[in-house]
Amino acid sequence: MTLKKLTVIAVAASVMICTSVFVGIHLNTNNEMEFAIGEQQYTINGSTKTFDESVKNLPVIDEKSQKLLIPLRWVIEELKGSVEWDKETKATVIQYQGKNIRIETGNQKAAINGYGVILEPPVVRNGCTYVTADFMADNFDTNIIWDGKQKEITLRTEAIQRPIVYQNKMVYQRGNRSYDVAVPVIIGLNDGNYEKNLNHKLSSDVTDEIHDFMTKHEKDVEKSNLHSEYTIPYRSKEMISIVFSAQTQKNEQTEEQSKKAVNIDLQTQTILKLEDLFRKKDYKQRLAKELSIKELPEQTEFYLDKDRGLVLYYKNEYAVEEYTIPFFEIRKMLKDNYQFLLGQNQP
């Protein structure tokens, strides 16, 4: 992430290395830090502090990558978390926001609350462990705002945290068959048992997809590959939508593409069906009217998108087609417990 990108959107922070330019810092709103490039003073929750002389490695901008690099121990301890060094495993252990994160320098494989995940690895410079601003944003739902005019950076963490969807990978290559499949791992649910069961289901679904691919292509002489990834178009404390896209290839030529969405209602701890969103049974006719089409295709699926609204999709003979309806246009159709969607993409 470059500083240019930070100018237009509040994004995640990362912790990495020290170079020639150092930065000052600020934290407020249920935890907010502010720091300015070239200044030794920073503020946290409105209180001004000065970097202690014992702090040899300050926040910096990496001249080559233009990434903001933050001393990991300093920022986490300022936020009332802890950072420890595990001598036996040579891992850095972070305890913050109910997460136990184990990371290793130069290694993308990490663990969060016992789940294997892929994370941006930390780096060590001058004996100090650094992470990027992206690391803070991605792992602790931290917003980062860059003021290019004042050369100030604001880090904000909210008291009420949204669950975070991390990524793990299943990768295999043997003979003519291979797969590279992303697996979502959800951390931060209030119910630990439900979180465990939900992650087990997500992992099992991916494993079933791999099994089907391997069985179907067991006797292939040609090279066969399965590639699957996902996006998170909607994430709040009430709901998560995960959209999986997969493709199989033979001899590097695309053979089949698929799309599948999983909409998780965290309020009821259920996988949401389209009909669950609406007050009346004639919702399909009403949706079709909103879209100015005769009727919804029989195999219509859906997902939520914070920017676009309700996204309806189906696969025809040639491709996946999508229809989008902003949330405010279906506000009268939504059940009371889904009215929170209206706060997402108001006109």
Side-chain angles (χ1 to χ4, degrees):
M1 176 177 60
T2 65
L3 294 182
K4 274 188 178 179
K5 292 179 182 176
L6 286 174
T7 306
V8 293
I9 190 168
V11 291
S14 47
V15 185
M16 281 181 69
I17 55 174
C18 306
T19 60
S20 59
V21 181
F22 78 86
V23 181
I25 282 193
H26 165 107
L27 293 175
N28 205 12
T29 72
N30 297 328
N31 268 319
E32 179 177 294
M33 297 178 86
E34 286 183 342
F35 52 94
I37 295 174
E39 294 185 10
Q40 291 192 336
Q41 287 189 329
Y42 63 96
T43 63
I44 177 163
N45 298 335
S47 299
T48 301
K49 294 185 177 184
T50 302
F51 285 105
D52 191 280
E53 291 183 0
S54 63
V55 179
K56 304 299 182 183
N57 297 301
L58 304 179
V60 298
I61 301 299
D62 180 49
E63 292 180 330
K64 184 176 180 180
S65 67
Q66 285 298 292
K67 286 188 174 184
L68 168 63
L69 308 175
I70 307 171
L72 178 60
R73 181 181 296 277
W74 170 77
V75 71
I76 293 297
E77 290 183 350
E78 283 285 4
L79 294 171
K80 308 304 180 185
S82 67
V83 177
E84 303 293 338
W85 171 250
D86 187 327
K87 293 181 179 179
E88 289 188 11
T89 62
K90 296 183 180 180
T92 299
V93 183
I94 305 166
Q95 298 277 358
Y96 181 54
Q97 291 182 347
K99 299 184 183 77
N100 177 298
I101 302 179
R102 302 180 68 88
I103 51 178
E104 298 177 15
T105 303
N107 189 354
Q108 288 187 325
K109 293 182 179 180
I112 299 181
N113 294 358
Y115 293 101
V117 297
I118 302 296
L119 295 182
E120 180 182 30
V123 298
V124 175
R125 292 289 180 89
N126 302 323
C128 174
T129 300
Y130 282 83
V131 291
T132 61
D134 289 334
F135 184 95
M136 294 300 298
D138 294 344
N139 294 291
F140 305 115
D141 226 7
T142 302
N143 288 332
I144 297 186
I145 300 171
W146 166 247
D147 184 338
K149 186 176 180 181
Q150 301 296 325
K151 295 186 178 180
E152 292 181 345
I153 294 168
T154 302
L155 287 170
R156 289 177 180 159
T157 62
E158 302 295 334
I160 300 176
Q161 296 292 312
R162 298 176 297 171
I164 296 177
V165 184
Y166 294 91
Q167 184 180 107
N168 200 1
K169 284 272 193 180
M170 292 186 183
V171 180
Y172 169 90
Q173 182 168 2
R174 185 174 181 180
N176 291 325
R177 292 181 297 169
S178 64
Y179 56 78
D180 180 358
V181 177
V183 185
V185 179
I186 299 175
I187 302 291
L189 302 186
N190 292 328
D191 187 329
N193 286 330
Y194 176 62
E195 179 180 284
K196 182 178 179 180
N197 291 334
L198 177 59
N199 284 319
H200 176 73
K201 172 176 171 45
L202 292 171
S203 178
S204 295
D205 287 349
V206 172
T207 302
D208 289 344
E209 179 184 26
I210 292 172
H211 179 266
D212 290 344
F213 164 77
M214 296 294 282
T215 301
K216 181 179 179 180
H217 296 274
E218 184 176 6
K219 297 181 180 180
D220 280 0
V221 176
E222 307 94 337
K223 288 186 177 180
S224 301
N225 172 260
L226 168 66
H227 176 76
S228 178
E229 54 191 23
Y230 64 85
T231 59
I232 311 295
Y234 190 95
R235 178 173 64 96
S236 70
K237 65 181 186 296
E238 299 94 356
M239 186 86 66
I240 295 176
S241 284
I242 307 175
V243 180
F244 297 87
S245 58
Q247 68 174 23
T248 57
Q249 293 181 326
K250 275 192 176 182
N251 289 332
E252 301 181 358
Q253 297 295 317
T254 299
E255 180 185 47
E256 184 179 0
Q257 292 181 306
S258 64
K259 187 172 194 172
K260 177 186 176 183
V262 177
N263 303 282
I264 306 164
D265 186 339
L266 301 176
Q267 304 170 109
T268 59
Q269 297 187 351
T270 57
I271 302 300
L272 197 67
K273 298 177 182 178
L274 183 59
E275 63 192 48
D276 296 333
L277 288 170
F278 302 107
R279 298 175 185 272
K280 298 183 178 181
K281 293 182 179 180
D282 65 347
Y283 70 92
K284 287 187 177 181
Q285 293 90 325
R286 290 170 177 248
L287 292 175
K289 185 177 180 180
E290 287 289 342
L291 294 168
S292 300
I293 59 176
K294 185 177 180 180
E295 62 182 11
L296 292 182
E298 185 177 349
Q299 301 301 322
T300 298
E301 301 291 343
F302 81 102
Y303 61 89
L304 307 177
D305 187 299
K306 66 180 179 62
D307 296 319
R308 297 190 290 162
L310 175 66
V311 181
L312 304 171
Y313 71 93
Y314 75 97
K315 185 176 181 181
N316 62 27
E317 185 179 355
Y318 305 103
V320 175
E321 293 196 21
E322 289 190 347
Y323 300 100
T324 301
I325 307 177
F327 292 131
F328 69 88
E329 292 186 6
I330 56 172
R331 60 192 180 280
K332 293 181 180 179
M333 298 170 56
L334 293 171
K335 292 179 180 177
D336 289 343
N337 54 320
Y338 297 114
Q339 291 292 317
F340 65 84
L341 295 171
L342 300 179
Q344 294 300 316
N345 59 355
Q346 296 283 7

